[in-house]
Amino acid sequence: KQEVTQIPAALSVPEGENLVLNCSFTDSAIYNLQWFRQDPGKGLTSLLLIQSSQREQTSGRLNASLDKSSGRSTLYIAASQPGDSATYLCAVPIQGGSEKLVFGKGTKLTVNP
Amino acid sequence: GAVVSQHPSWVICKSGTSVKIECRSLDFQATTMFWYRQFPKQSLMLMATSNEGSKATYEQGVEKDKFLINHASLTLSTLTVTSAHPEDSSFYICSARGQGFQPQHFGDGTRLSIL
């Protein structure tokens, strides 16, 4: 059964700091992994989608890496800003390339001005 | 592009009431829609998957008679929580996906509070 764990559960940093969010999953036979952002009381915004053949994906100040063999992914945020404050969720298919996603509980990030 | 609209965003109602939540894809045809539930500080849990014109597929432990899903067109799916009780209070989020290997696009969610 696919399970996704995100560490830490919460993180508070001063503005400008670089930070790393961690995601681990139990079944490594996945076709892709996604990182989402969720603002309080809102839905999800897709940040990055990494295919299993890729090791990294970048979008602006965000960089996500994927190590399938170890069942891990990291989301690196460079030069954090107060507007980055949100909960970041990691999601993988329940198995293979299934359209059904399993989500972690998220990391709540607070960037202080 | 790829906007999913969910309505209402917030609803409060008395125990025993049935509540309907709408999920619309505004600028694409959604062959598949998904309904999730999220309790405070918990992860999103998939409730059911619906394909246009066919019956929804429910995840284990989700009562299909309690959570009625209708995916009547390529742009609209509805979730009806029948005879809602306080334990049904949660944040419900829908997502929609186009044909082929397309990513899911999420709505803004509906906060349901049953008194």
Side-chain angles (χ1 to χ4, degrees), chain A residues 34 36 38 41-44 46 49 89 94 99-101 103-105, chain B residues 34 36 38 41-44 46 49 59 91 93 97 104 106-108:
Chain A
Q34 292 187 72
F36 294 89
Q38 185 177 28
K42 296 292 186 180
L44 276 62
S46 179
L49 168 67
L89 299 170
I94 193 167
E99 59 186 4
K100 297 183 181 181
L101 298 178
F103 287 83
K105 291 183 180 180
Chain B
F34 306 84
Y36 296 85
Q38 185 180 33
K41 297 186 179 181
Q42 298 297 312
S43 59
L44 274 75
L46 180 65
T49 305
E59 295 301 304
F91 192 56
I93 305 177
R97 185 177 67 85
Q104 295 180 36
F106 287 79
D108 271 349

Side-chain angles (χ1 to χ4, degrees), chain B residues 3 7 15 21 41 47-48 95:
Chain B
V3 177
H7 178 81
S15 185
I21 303 170
K41 297 186 179 181
M47 298 175 67
S95 70

